[in-house]
Amino acid sequence: MRRLIIDTDPGVDDAFAIALAARHPDVDLLAVTTVAGNIGIEHTTRNALNLLALCGRADVPVAAGAHRPFSRAVRGDDAHGNDGLGGHAHNFGTSSASLDQRDAVTLLVDVLTAAEAPVTIVPIGPLTNIALLLAAHPGIKSKIERLVIMGGGISGGNITPSAEFNFWVDPEAARRVLVEEDVPVTLVPLDITMKVAVGDEWLSKLADANAVGRELTAMTPGYRAFYQEYTGTDDLIIHDAIAVAEAIRPGILHTTPMLLDVDCTDGPGSGATIADVRNKVDQPLGRVVDVALDADVDGLRTYILDELSSRY
């Protein structure tokens, strides 16, 4: 079994990622922690509870985390609608599960401490909770197998020309996790996630497969419209599901070791991922991180569709 924890800000693409992990027979989903990002913490937490219930996994503990970035004003965008799930959050029911009374960092420490073997954490929102965890509890690092982080962009951004959304929301947290800590990291940036866009045929197959697939597909129209304006194509970008796929099947993405840093200034580059593309790994910039830049894209699309379409 692959032991996973997901740290998330649901989010349409987060919903696909949560469903992929929550329903997979080879995944032991130990916890879900929430962070403010795509929308405020109240919405992201409620969405996480309800998505797990949709997937038949109300047993997974959910704890609320940081309600704001380290040192920035709360920022967001409208890609995911006013409820985080494309205006669809009220359509698939409310979880009967209670929110864990521990805060996200405390839950992470407790779950990691109790784990019999190191755990993979998949942060698919701003990195505020993870930075707080590593700063306050450095002794817990030995219980983390690796972080599979959806965030950043080597060749550019999506919320600004230079910055990907998760890093832009809390660049200080991103820098602390990527540069100042020593936990193994696989970074899943826009460079790969944008390649794995899915279209009408893929979504139709998912909607026809099961009730979870129908609900996931129903969340997507507004999100697709947002990206159509950005990319000029009418495809769905399932960023966060790509990171979860790598966490479940290590090596499904092809990685390159790169020296990275994160721009924490207040200028136009704020939140940008700074990569030494020359791969001069003996230079003082940042630290070396495994960056996923390529994959068998068709195979990856098929893998995610097959797993989400299953009747586990």
Side-chain angles (χ1 to χ4, degrees):
M1 296 290 284
R2 184 71 58 185
R3 297 178 179 87
L4 300 185
I5 297 171
I6 293 179
D7 186 70
T8 180
D9 61 337
V12 174
D13 54 328
D14 306 70
F16 281 76
I18 290 168
L20 181 60
R23 301 179 69 249
H24 199 289
D26 298 330
V27 170
D28 185 3
L29 184 58
L30 300 176
V32 170
T33 52
T34 62
V35 65
N38 287 318
I39 201 163
I41 191 68
E42 297 85 1
H43 287 286
T44 62
T45 303
R46 182 200 63 202
N47 289 346
L49 285 165
N50 292 346
L51 287 164
L52 286 167
L54 172 67
C55 296
R57 294 302 311 276
D59 60 299
V60 176
V62 176
H67 70 281
R68 55 157 295 154
F70 275 155
S71 61
R72 307 288 170 122
V74 176
R75 308 192 281 189
D77 73 293
D78 57 1
H80 300 265
N82 60 10
D83 63 358
L85 297 178
H88 189 72
H90 65 285
N91 288 348
F92 59 85
T94 301
S95 175
S96 61
S98 299
L99 179 67
D100 197 292
Q101 292 307 297
R102 291 168 288 185
D103 64 88
V105 171
T106 301
L107 178 62
L108 287 168
V109 171
D110 290 349
V111 170
L112 290 168
T113 300
E116 296 178 356
V119 175
T120 296
I121 302 178
V122 192
I124 53 178
L127 287 166
T128 317
N129 289 338
I130 307 305
L132 289 168
L133 170 70
L134 297 177
H137 301 276
I140 207 68
K141 294 178 186 179
S142 63
K143 301 303 292 283
I144 301 174
E145 183 176 22
R146 65 170 173 158
L147 303 172
V148 182
I149 297 170
M150 191 279 124
I154 305 305
S155 57
N158 60 354
I159 192 69
T160 74
S162 58
E164 178 274 333
F165 177 78
N166 289 340
F167 283 17
W168 174 79
V169 168
D170 197 341
E172 286 81 10
R175 188 177 195 281
R176 291 187 189 194
V177 174
L178 259 69
V179 178
E180 298 176 11
E181 300 290 354
D182 56 0
V183 176
V185 168
T186 299
L187 184 67
V188 183
L190 296 176
D191 306 76
I192 182 60
T193 65
M194 294 297 292
K195 294 178 183 178
V196 195
V198 298
D200 288 332
E201 181 180 0
W202 193 97
L203 289 165
S204 294
K205 290 179 179 178
L206 178 60
D208 290 342
N210 52 48
V212 173
R214 286 193 297 275
E215 297 296 345
L216 291 174
T217 304
M219 298 174 193
T220 63
Y223 184 67
R224 288 179 72 179
F226 178 89
Y227 264 99
Q228 184 174 18
E229 182 176 354
Y230 166 59
T231 65
T233 61
D234 187 27
D235 290 328
L236 176 70
I237 313 296
I238 51 172
H239 303 286
D240 296 335
I242 310 307
V244 168
E246 168 61 27
I248 297 172
R249 285 187 56 181
I252 198 170
L253 305 181
H254 306 156
T255 62
T256 300
M258 303 185 76
L259 273 168
L260 298 183
D261 208 331
V262 178
D263 188 335
C264 293
T265 67
D266 291 325
S270 180
T273 310
I274 304 169
D276 190 343
V277 295
R278 305 168 303 167
N279 238 15
K280 300 290 186 181
V281 295
D282 58 342
Q283 298 299 309
L285 173 75
R287 74 164 171 133
V288 176
V289 170
D290 289 329
V291 182
L293 296 175
D294 204 0
D296 173 359
V297 171
D298 289 337
L300 182 55
R301 285 194 195 98
T302 299
Y303 169 74
I304 294 172
L305 178 61
D306 287 348
E307 295 299 338
L308 290 174
S309 299
S310 67
R311 301 187 183 275
Y312 298 135

